[in-house]
């Protein structure tokens, strides 16, 4: 996924905008302490499953139309990707009710979180911040990142591109704000690339 590393397995992790994905289940089974937040977690298992079923054909067609925007290396083609995504969603749905009961899936959303200061070692945003730059402005990105920095000692964001595979229009302003407010940051290379050019992770800490 580009964000989790072996040295993170003993950290307390917050995933922001994790959605209907299997990352929480996989890491939890490895013994990692991970909490995922997303607005979709306000819905029941049945409601999420129905939404997945209703949108799967549209998403599949979009992937076929935009196949040139991706690197077909580890995943060979659109059909394999669709199969993998549906399997990941099935894994999520199998884990969802137990995960909610355990507090691993929580209905919260940026830029306001109901956690204590520095409650987590690491907070990440995977395929949300920067990716949806046309939907969320700079002010939202700033508030969201500051809130993640409030609740976690370190923040990671991936990718730094928008949906058009271009560097986010908000990235330079975010980096300038961090510099002016005494936050440290580093752009590091990820060993994961599926969206073309999406190989960088923004790492931030105080």
């Amino acid at each position: 996924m580009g964000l989790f590393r072996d040295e993170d397995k003993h950290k307390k992790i917050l995933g922001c905008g994790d959605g209907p994905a299997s990352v929480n289940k996989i890491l939890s089974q490895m013994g990692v302490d991970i909490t995922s937040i997303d607005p979709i977690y306000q819905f029941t298992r049945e409601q999420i499953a129905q939404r997945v079923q209703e949108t799967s054909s549209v998403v599949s067609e979009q992937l076929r139309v935009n196949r040139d925007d991706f690197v077909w290396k580890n995943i060979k083609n659109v059909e394999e990707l669709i199969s993998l995504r549906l399997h990941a969603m099935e894994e999520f749905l199998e884990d969802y009710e137990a995960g909610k009961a355990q507090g691993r899936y929580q209905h919260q959303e940026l830029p306001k979180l109901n956690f204590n200061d520095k409650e987590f070692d690491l907070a990440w945003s995977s395929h949300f911040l920067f990716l949806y730059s046309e939907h969320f402005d700079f002010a939202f990105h700033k508030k969201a990142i500051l809130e993640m920095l409030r609740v976690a000692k370190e923040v990671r964001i991936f990718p730094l591109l928008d949906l058009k595979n271009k560097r986010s229009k908000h990235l330079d302003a975010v980096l300038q704000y961090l510099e002016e407010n005494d936050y440290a940051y580093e752009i590091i290379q990820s060993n994961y690339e599926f969206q073309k050019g999406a190989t960088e992770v923004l790492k931030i800490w105080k």
Side-chain angles (χ1 to χ4, degrees):
M1 61 174 296
L3 288 173
F4 182 79
R5 303 184 172 209
D6 286 341
E7 59 265 29
D8 299 325
K9 60 187 177 181
H10 299 301
K11 293 178 180 177
K12 187 174 183 181
I13 297 173
L14 175 66
C16 298
D18 279 350
S22 58
V23 59
N24 191 297
K25 179 181 180 181
I26 292 169
L27 293 183
S28 294
Q29 289 178 337
M30 291 168 53
V32 177
D33 185 348
I34 177 170
T35 300
S36 296
I37 62 144
D38 198 286
I40 201 174
Y41 302 153
Q42 67 186 290
F43 300 111
T44 65
R45 180 188 185 280
E46 290 72 23
Q47 288 171 324
I48 296 174
Q50 182 179 357
R51 179 62 177 164
V52 168
Q53 187 174 11
E54 290 172 348
T55 59
S56 60
S57 61
V58 175
V59 173
S60 297
E61 182 57 31
Q62 288 176 340
L63 285 169
R64 291 187 176 93
V65 170
N66 299 307
R67 69 179 70 210
D68 291 341
D69 292 338
F70 304 99
V71 177
W72 301 102
K73 183 180 177 183
N74 297 322
I75 301 171
K76 303 303 180 187
N77 51 47
V78 173
E79 287 66 32
E80 182 180 347
L81 174 62
I82 293 168
S83 176
L84 287 170
R85 287 192 171 181
L86 288 175
H87 177 71
M89 288 181 185
E90 288 171 4
E91 292 281 293
F92 161 79
L93 290 170
E94 288 177 2
D95 184 54
Y96 182 58
E97 291 178 340
K100 280 196 82 171
Q102 295 163 5
R104 291 188 286 111
Y105 299 109
Q106 297 191 25
H107 170 214
Q108 296 194 48
E109 57 186 297
L110 292 169
K112 181 64 177 174
L113 302 175
N114 186 28
F115 296 114
N116 296 324
D117 293 355
K118 299 297 183 283
E119 186 170 335
F120 298 90
D121 299 305
L122 169 63
W124 68 45
S125 165
S126 176
H127 295 87
F128 174 46
L129 293 177
F130 295 131
L131 187 65
Y132 292 94
S133 291
E134 295 300 322
H135 301 76
F136 298 96
D137 62 11
F138 165 71
F140 177 88
H141 277 72
K142 183 180 79 171
K143 287 179 183 177
I145 291 169
L146 288 176
E147 183 70 346
M148 292 169 73
L149 285 163
R150 180 186 70 80
V151 303
K153 299 171 186 173
E154 179 188 329
V155 167
R156 294 179 199 165
I157 304 171
F158 175 84
L160 307 186
L161 305 184
D162 61 23
L163 289 169
K164 297 178 181 177
N165 283 15
K166 298 188 181 300
R167 200 170 177 89
S168 168
K169 63 183 179 181
H170 304 313
L171 181 60
D172 288 341
V174 165
L175 298 182
Q176 182 178 347
Y177 177 86
L178 293 173
E179 289 177 0
E180 291 173 350
N181 290 272
D182 297 323
Y183 290 96
Y185 72 85
E186 181 182 9
I187 294 178
I188 56 180
Q189 289 294 313
S190 168
N191 57 8
Y192 174 87
E193 182 185 11
F194 182 57
Q195 181 185 4
K196 278 186 180 176
T199 60
E200 295 179 325
V201 177
L202 176 60
K203 176 181 174 182
I204 313 167
W205 66 99
K206 187 68 174 178

